Amino acid sequence: MARVELLVALVALVFTIGIFAQVLADRYRIPSIIFLIVAGIVLGPEGLGIVTREAFGVALPVIVDLSVALIVFEGAFHLRYEDLKATRSTRLRLITVGALISLVGTAITVRFALGTPWDLAFLIGSLLVATGPTVIDPILDVVAVRDSVANALSFEGVVNDVTAAILAYVSFEVVLAEQPTRIAFLEEFAARLAIGIVVGALVAVVLRSLIRAVDRAAGNAAQNARLLALAGAFVAYAGATLLAEEAGIAAAATAGLALGNLDVPYKETISEFKGDVTTLLLSFVFIALAALLSFDDIAALGVGGLVVVAAVMFVIRPLLVFVSTRGHQFSRDERLFMSFVGPRGIIPASVATLFAVELTDAGLPEQATTLVGTVFLVILATVVLEGGLAPYIASALDVVPMQIVIVGGGTVGRGLAERFDAHGENPVLIESDADTARRARDDGHTVHVGDGTVAETLRDVGVADAKLLVVATGDDDANLLAAQLARSTFDVNHIIARVNKPENTDAFEDLGVRAISPTESAIWAIDNLVERPALLKWTVELGQSGDVREVDVTADATVGRSIAAVRNDLPSECLLALVNRDGTNHYPGDDFDLERGDTVTLLGRTEAVDDARALFGRAG
């Protein structure tokens, strides 16, 4: 078989296996990167020997580079400024302080665990800054954490791909340079980053004009818009790369982020099209790069390689996450989840492979082996362990809240969303008015623009699988219709309705909906203010710095223990107030023994209540 026909057959094989891997991942709810990296090892020189560097020749680096450009562009395209506002300070720290901790911590570990020179240690540290959308997004497709957590991880991945690529290139020049200086290092980094940002922004502006132009012209405008976006990703990457090596990643990311946040027609069709293309390219690149894995290079690292992996996964990553998320609304368990989900992927693998070839050509084969072995060992360990165990880690930490759907994005809806988010829930607002929806997004909430009284809208937000539906518009007719539709069409059991006119309460209660009347709530509040002012003051303070949570007793260590014994383990600022057993509330004394299935009510300072939940099990 001729070389061209062989290459075509090989590419077709890789794509086919990649598609099957995606199907299996969807079927078994396991991140696709697990199947892809296993497939690459099986097909590569360490397995069947079908996919090799020689089989692709010079085509492999080109394919990988263009694929990475589109993957990074697509990942950035999905990031919305309004969705990221809620985690602005965290995102900034993750890509600055967090990246610095990763760089320095990894470099120090490599230096002393493997005995490498400092310049090579920092080169490896630079590459391993990257998490990247190629490994984070497949995990988030399976593990539905809160939007604030997902947005922070996605943004970190996109930006740190850029940071790692540029840092690595500049670090590589330091390795080869005879007398490098810090000033030269910083200048190189800043220049490449600036070139990428400028080129990416210009491409995004031009793309917006072109897409608007095809929208006004006759013909298949949606298809043309998709093709223009695809071409724009490649142009941004190639244009910046011509000006400065590794600036292309920054350009692709900037172009995707800017275009995704500009007022551009056909965003949904562009997103769907690029998502399908990216899935194919992701499959190809992961299999191809996994096939380059050499067990000999990894084995040459010895125990030092395992020390590096352990430090990256269990020391450096948790440290940077806890420092970066300090003071934010993330719970302790969400911070732990983010700590143990930081796999490395395509950028470190592809760049390390390129640098290894150049180091060998420069007469530094030992450094090339150390570079490739360390990077691929960390990639393999983090992808397999963190990617494969992510669903189980999320389940153990209870960081996958079911959605709470709120119909109505006005003052009441936004206030509820803010409270639910503070309690670790995952609220989604439905709002038909564009200006109101925009205000809700500006407040950092997840908003679906649509009519909550229409079945298709409720289906789109996944109301059938929601934990709770709250209908909170100012129109009782709309609230009743939305509640009836959710109950009859989607079999939603837990519905709470805002009833603006007290005389309409019976209509909601006849439907089996919990009705809340603002008028009656105001009467109760005024009565409490007059008769029970201390209680009212306490409830207000509770909403600001405290919490009340119901937790199901499921932990083996708690079942069968007395209240007296359990209270000794509670944080000092947390009280166990009630125990609900079989629908009956108990005010338990010291000799009351807890049983599996009881629900305890905890109240106190927010941090203390969060810590106490782990003693009992899952939130009710």
Side-chain angles (χ1 to χ4, degrees):
M1 186 181 295
R3 178 173 179 80
V4 174
E5 286 78 4
L6 180 62
L7 184 59
V8 170
L10 189 59
V11 171
L13 174 65
V14 172
F15 273 130
T16 302
I17 292 176
I19 292 170
F20 274 109
Q22 298 287 349
V23 172
L24 287 173
D26 184 65
R27 171 67 178 81
Y28 293 105
R29 306 303 296 165
I30 296 174
S32 59
I33 49 178
I34 302 298
F35 293 104
L36 295 173
I37 201 165
V38 170
I41 293 173
V42 171
L43 293 174
E46 301 291 347
L48 300 176
I50 298 173
V51 179
T52 63
R53 185 183 289 109
E54 292 75 19
F56 284 101
V58 296
L60 184 59
V62 176
I63 296 173
V64 170
D65 284 351
L66 292 178
S67 299
V68 168
L70 188 60
I71 291 167
V72 171
F73 181 95
E74 198 261 347
F77 184 81
H78 284 98
L79 297 175
R80 295 288 179 268
Y81 173 73
E82 56 267 20
D83 293 336
L84 295 168
K85 282 185 68 177
T87 56
R88 181 186 303 165
S89 59
T90 296
R91 288 184 292 110
L92 181 61
R93 287 198 292 265
L94 279 171
I95 63 174
T96 53
V97 177
L100 182 62
I101 291 173
S102 177
L103 169 64
V104 175
T106 305
I108 292 174
T109 304
V110 170
R111 170 71 178 87
F112 291 104
L114 299 177
T116 66
W118 278 112
D119 52 5
L120 181 61
F122 271 95
L123 174 58
I124 294 172
S126 299
L127 286 169
L128 295 179
V129 165
T131 52
T134 58
V135 284
I136 290 296
D137 290 350
I139 293 175
L140 297 179
D141 287 341
V142 174
V143 183
V145 292
R146 280 200 304 151
D147 290 333
S148 58
V149 177
N151 287 333
L153 288 173
S154 293
F155 186 84
E156 178 198 16
V158 170
V159 175
N160 280 356
D161 257 2
V162 175
T163 303
I166 298 176
L167 271 176
Y169 182 82
V170 177
S171 298
F172 183 68
E173 289 192 335
V174 171
V175 171
L176 297 181
E178 293 183 0
Q179 292 182 326
T181 65
R182 293 190 186 93
I183 299 297
F185 179 91
L186 294 175
E187 287 177 348
E188 287 283 344
F189 178 81
R192 282 165 172 74
L193 181 61
I195 289 171
I197 291 174
V198 171
V199 171
L202 288 175
V203 168
V205 171
V206 173
L207 278 177
R208 179 181 63 172
S209 300
L210 292 174
I211 293 173
R212 285 180 172 178
V214 300
D215 182 41
R216 294 189 297 267
N220 193 339
Q223 178 180 334
N224 292 334
R226 294 194 297 265
L227 295 176
L228 283 171
L230 179 64
F234 292 145
V235 169
Y237 181 84
T241 301
L242 286 174
L243 296 174
E245 289 191 62
E246 301 306 325
I249 297 293
T254 302
L257 182 63
L259 188 66
N261 285 277
L262 290 172
D263 183 17
V264 179
Y266 308 111
K267 275 187 181 179
E268 291 300 322
T269 58
I270 292 172
S271 180
E272 291 174 3
F273 170 70
K274 290 180 69 59
D276 291 338
V277 174
T278 298
T279 298
L280 286 174
L281 294 178
L282 183 62
S283 302
F284 177 86
V285 172
F286 250 110
I287 291 175
L289 290 179
L292 302 181
L293 184 65
S294 170
F295 290 163
D296 289 338
D297 289 345
I298 292 176
L301 300 175
V303 176
L306 297 179
V307 171
V308 173
V309 169
V312 168
M313 293 178 61
F314 303 120
V315 179
I316 298 170
R317 177 68 185 177
L319 175 62
L320 77 87
V321 167
F322 272 80
V323 169
S324 300
T325 57
R326 185 186 69 257
H328 199 268
Q329 74 269 26
F330 296 127
S331 69
R332 182 198 61 180
D333 288 341
E334 286 173 334
R335 297 168 81 187
L336 284 171
F337 174 77
M338 295 170 69
S339 297
F340 294 116
V341 180
R344 274 61 173 180
I346 284 178
I347 292 294
S350 59
V351 177
T353 302
L354 172 65
F355 286 170
V357 173
E358 296 190 26
L359 284 173
T360 301
D361 293 341
L364 300 170
E366 290 185 3
Q367 294 197 19
T369 299
T370 301
L371 171 65
V372 171
T374 306
V375 170
F376 271 94
L377 178 59
V378 172
I379 291 172
L380 185 63
T382 55
V383 166
V384 172
L385 294 178
E386 296 181 347
L389 296 177
Y392 304 101
I393 295 172
S395 177
L397 294 173
D398 195 20
V399 294
V400 186
M402 296 177 69
Q403 265 189 177
I404 293 179
V405 178
I406 304 171
V407 179
T411 304
V412 174
R414 295 198 303 274
L416 285 171
E418 183 177 350
R419 296 299 299 274
F420 285 137
D421 189 68
H423 288 309
E425 302 290 353
N426 195 22
V428 176
L429 290 163
I430 298 177
E431 175 55 53
S432 57
D433 181 75
D435 290 336
T436 303
R438 188 177 300 111
R439 280 197 296 273
R441 284 201 181 104
D442 288 342
D443 289 341
H445 303 306
T446 301
V447 184
H448 182 92
V449 180
D451 187 346
T453 64
V454 175
E456 187 172 348
T457 301
L458 294 177
R459 183 179 293 108
D460 288 344
V461 299
V463 74
D465 299 318
K467 175 181 181 179
L468 171 69
L469 171 67
V470 181
V471 285
T473 75
D475 184 341
D476 284 351
D477 290 337
N479 289 343
L480 185 61
L481 180 56
Q484 287 176 325
L485 188 61
R487 178 80 80 198
S488 60
T489 304
F490 299 101
D491 196 28
V492 178
N493 293 319
H494 302 292
I495 304 175
I496 298 176
R498 169 188 176 185
V499 183
N500 301 280
K501 298 178 180 179
E503 60 268 24
N504 293 333
T505 300
D506 290 343
F508 287 91
E509 292 182 344
D510 289 343
L511 187 62
V513 174
R514 178 81 178 271
I516 304 295
S517 168
T519 302
E520 293 179 355
S521 298
I523 293 172
W524 294 336
I526 293 172
D527 180 53
N528 283 331
L529 182 62
V530 175
E531 301 293 338
R532 292 166 288 275
L535 176 63
L536 183 63
K537 182 176 185 294
W538 177 79
T539 56
V540 171
E541 291 176 348
L542 184 65
Q544 295 172 344
S545 61
D547 198 3
V548 177
R549 298 301 295 267
E550 293 184 352
V551 184
D552 295 334
V553 178
T554 59
D556 292 337
T558 306
V559 173
R561 297 184 68 193
S562 68
I563 292 297
V566 170
R567 280 177 174 152
N568 288 332
D569 294 336
L570 289 175
S572 60
E573 294 186 306
C574 178
L575 299 175
L576 193 160
L578 290 174
V579 177
N580 184 283
R581 179 176 294 169
D582 299 326
T584 302
N585 284 329
H586 300 270
Y587 301 91
D590 288 346
D591 58 350
F592 187 97
D593 293 332
L594 292 173
E595 296 180 1
R596 190 179 302 277
D598 288 348
T599 299
V600 299
T601 299
L602 304 172
L603 59 91
R605 291 286 179 183
T606 301
E607 297 80 4
V609 172
D610 284 341
D611 290 340
R613 288 172 57 195
L615 295 174
F616 300 94
R618 299 182 182 279

